[in-house]
Amino acid sequence: MNKASIFVIAAAATLPALAASGISGNVSLAHAHETADSAATDTVEKFSFTDIISLPTTSVKDQNKSGTCWCFAGTSFFEDEIRKAGGDSLDLSEMFTVWHCYSDKADRYVRMYGGTNFSAGGSILDVPYVWKRYGVVPEEVYHGIEYGEDGHVHGELDGVLAAYVKTIVSKPNKRVSTAWRAGLEGILDAYLGKLPETFEYKGKTYTPQSFAKSLGLDPDNYIALTSFTHHPFYEPFVIEVADNWLWAPYMNVPLDELKATVDNALENGYTVVWAADVSEGGFKWDKGVALMPKGKTEGDMDGTELARWVKLSDKERQNKKFDFSGPVEEIEVTQESRQEMFDRQETTDDHGMEIVGIARDQKGNRYYKVKNSWNTNQVFDGFFYVSEPYFLAKTMSILVNKKALPKDVAKKTCVK
């Protein structure tokens, strides 16, 4: 999933250690105005990042060998929303949500005669969907690992579920049996564990639904935004990606307003769920950075350099383009170029993460600070920095608190 690169670390990352409470980062008015007088600086192999805004967030988790990034991103986001609203710092169960999504996804797959997507993937709207309908539980109540592993390893589970639902829609008995739902739930229970009907937490008894209500969040207070020109702006549409199995609508806004929404959210203390393409050569997870380098063309070359360049294979050219060891000139992204990348399927729906801050590199270039769910064994302890061109080109969608919308965007999208 992640594109590793070989590099030498020039200096260790200086992100503060996570506090005992599981919270890292800070926010202030100085941050909101992007003054970096006291901001932390992260340095790695000719990259030096200064955090301008770094919002409080719960600890980095590890989705390990599972395709459940959408759930880790959404759960982290809601954990941070709870804390921002004055609640406790919580560690909530991702796999409770995953169980319900597998179940409902299978139901839709069977009802559509196998004509919809059935996979581990999901969308940024899946977590609020489950919280609203089924509730949520703490991680200590439901960890979702009942198959002899220390971390999430879903290869066998995904294979078994896919084979099972494909068998059901093939109707070997000429019609669907009345037992198929029980069989599906048996598989999910065997791997993830039986869902709790009630549980004890801090001296109180809850159901998943009553616990969700106790957290004080309303799933209807969040909005998903995207930006594409094949649908009208300021109208919702069902974004055409396979993992949007809910056929959920996303509000369509111009690219500059999508970016303005993220900036406004961060400046006002709200984090953002971010769905994006991470298959680009400029996505360097181990290096802690994602860029969209401006590629060299034959017209940029002359003399012996041109002669050498044209002998390179396409793969060699790509490798050279993405072989950066510090800030480089990046492409200019427009609404039109972004659309073309999506239409030509160069921008794909890969990964869900959480944007928690804004930073600048040593040359003044602006980045978003992103929290990932690939553990902390990485140069910035599970965080990385995404350049603005990368964000503009490769964002599929975002999820934000409606209060985080700029006033003009809220007005245009009829959000109250």
Side-chain angles (χ1 to χ4, degrees):
M1 178 178 289
N2 48 331
K3 308 294 184 181
S5 59
I6 300 174
F7 65 99
V8 178
I9 299 177
T14 59
L15 276 174
L18 294 175
S21 64
I23 300 296
S24 67
N26 56 80
V27 63
S28 67
L29 288 176
H31 283 151
H33 288 89
E34 296 193 27
T35 59
D37 294 338
S38 61
T41 299
D42 296 328
T43 304
V44 58
E45 195 204 0
K46 297 185 180 179
F47 279 100
S48 180
F49 299 104
T50 299
D51 289 343
I52 308 305
I53 296 174
S54 187
L55 299 179
T57 184
T58 52
S59 61
V60 173
K61 308 302 191 300
D62 185 13
Q63 70 184 77
N64 200 31
K65 299 177 182 179
S66 74
T68 57
C69 58
W70 52 271
C71 189
F72 280 83
T75 303
S76 175
F77 172 74
F78 277 142
E79 289 172 350
D80 293 342
E81 283 283 292
I82 291 165
R83 187 178 183 278
K84 176 176 171 54
D88 294 335
S89 176
L90 299 173
D91 184 4
L92 301 173
S93 172
E94 291 85 12
M95 292 303 118
F96 177 89
T97 300
V98 169
W99 193 105
H100 282 291
C101 282
Y102 274 131
S103 176
D104 286 7
K105 199 179 302 182
D107 185 76
R108 182 163 296 195
Y109 183 84
V110 172
R111 292 185 184 279
M112 293 294 294
Y113 299 83
T116 62
N117 184 49
F118 184 86
S119 69
S123 81
I124 60 176
L125 286 168
D126 289 3
V127 173
Y129 164 82
V130 170
W131 280 39
K132 183 175 182 178
R133 286 159 181 77
Y134 304 111
V136 65
V137 302
E139 176 71 16
E140 65 186 64
V141 171
Y142 193 82
H143 56 78
I145 305 175
E146 299 291 341
Y147 41 90
E149 300 288 350
D150 295 328
H152 303 290
V153 182
H154 285 189
E156 185 175 294
L157 171 61
D158 292 340
V160 169
L161 287 173
Y164 183 82
V165 295
K166 287 178 181 177
T167 299
I168 300 304
V169 299
S170 73
K171 292 188 288 190
N173 293 348
K174 306 304 181 185
R175 59 178 179 171
V176 175
S177 77
T178 59
W180 87 268
R181 285 285 321 173
L184 177 81
E185 292 173 7
I187 295 170
L188 292 171
D189 288 350
Y191 282 88
L192 303 182
K194 284 189 67 67
L195 296 174
E197 294 183 3
T198 62
F199 60 91
E200 298 289 323
Y201 184 70
K202 293 186 176 181
K204 294 184 179 181
T205 301
Y206 295 96
T207 66
Q209 291 89 347
S210 67
F211 184 69
K213 290 180 180 179
S214 77
L215 300 178
L217 294 187
D218 181 354
D220 290 332
N221 287 339
Y222 300 87
I223 184 170
L225 302 178
T226 190
S227 181
F228 293 109
T229 58
H230 64 292
H231 290 279
F233 289 136
Y234 310 118
E235 293 183 13
F237 75 94
V238 176
I239 193 168
E240 303 97 334
V241 294
D243 284 337
N244 185 19
W245 63 275
L246 281 173
W247 306 327
Y250 290 65
M251 181 61 69
N252 198 28
V253 298
L255 187 56
D256 61 340
E257 295 184 6
L258 185 74
K259 179 182 178 300
T261 297
V262 174
D263 293 342
N264 190 69
L266 296 169
E267 289 164 4
N268 287 280
Y270 294 94
T271 63
V272 178
V273 185
W274 183 47
D277 178 354
V278 297
S279 65
E280 292 296 315
F283 180 88
K284 306 287 190 183
W285 167 243
D286 287 346
K287 194 174 289 190
V289 67
L291 305 178
M292 291 293 291
K294 186 176 181 180
K296 296 178 180 179
T297 67
E298 292 184 8
D300 296 326
M301 303 294 177
D302 56 20
T304 57
E305 177 65 9
L306 175 58
R308 185 185 66 80
W309 180 263
V310 296
K311 292 179 182 179
L312 297 177
S313 68
D314 288 343
K315 183 177 181 180
E316 288 171 327
R317 293 186 190 191
Q318 285 295 96
N319 288 341
K320 286 183 68 65
K321 175 180 177 181
F322 297 118
D323 184 22
F324 51 81
S325 58
V328 296
E329 185 178 4
E330 297 188 67
I331 66 171
E332 179 183 355
V333 181
T334 65
Q335 188 83 62
E336 292 74 24
S337 66
R338 167 183 165 78
Q339 184 70 38
E340 182 178 3
M341 292 177 199
F342 180 71
D343 290 342
R344 301 189 69 177
Q345 299 182 1
E346 297 172 330
T347 295
T348 52
D349 181 39
D350 294 337
H351 193 41
M353 298 150 282
E354 184 185 15
I355 301 176
V356 299
I358 295 173
R360 292 192 184 276
D361 66 20
Q362 66 268 38
K363 292 190 175 182
N365 300 310
R366 200 165 178 269
Y367 295 75
Y368 292 110
K369 185 177 181 179
V370 178
K371 177 184 177 182
N372 205 352
S373 55
W374 291 349
N375 211 339
T376 59
N377 54 348
Q378 172 258 12
V379 64
F380 295 140
D381 298 330
F383 296 82
F384 69 104
Y385 295 92
V386 175
S387 73
E388 285 193 344
Y390 195 101
F391 171 85
L392 293 172
K394 296 300 170 178
T395 295
M396 297 297 298
S397 57
I398 62 171
L399 180 71
V400 296
N401 191 311
K402 290 178 181 178
K403 294 179 182 178
L405 292 173
K407 290 182 179 179
D408 59 333
V409 176
K411 183 177 181 180
K412 293 174 185 175
T413 56
C414 300
V415 173
K416 298 180 180 179

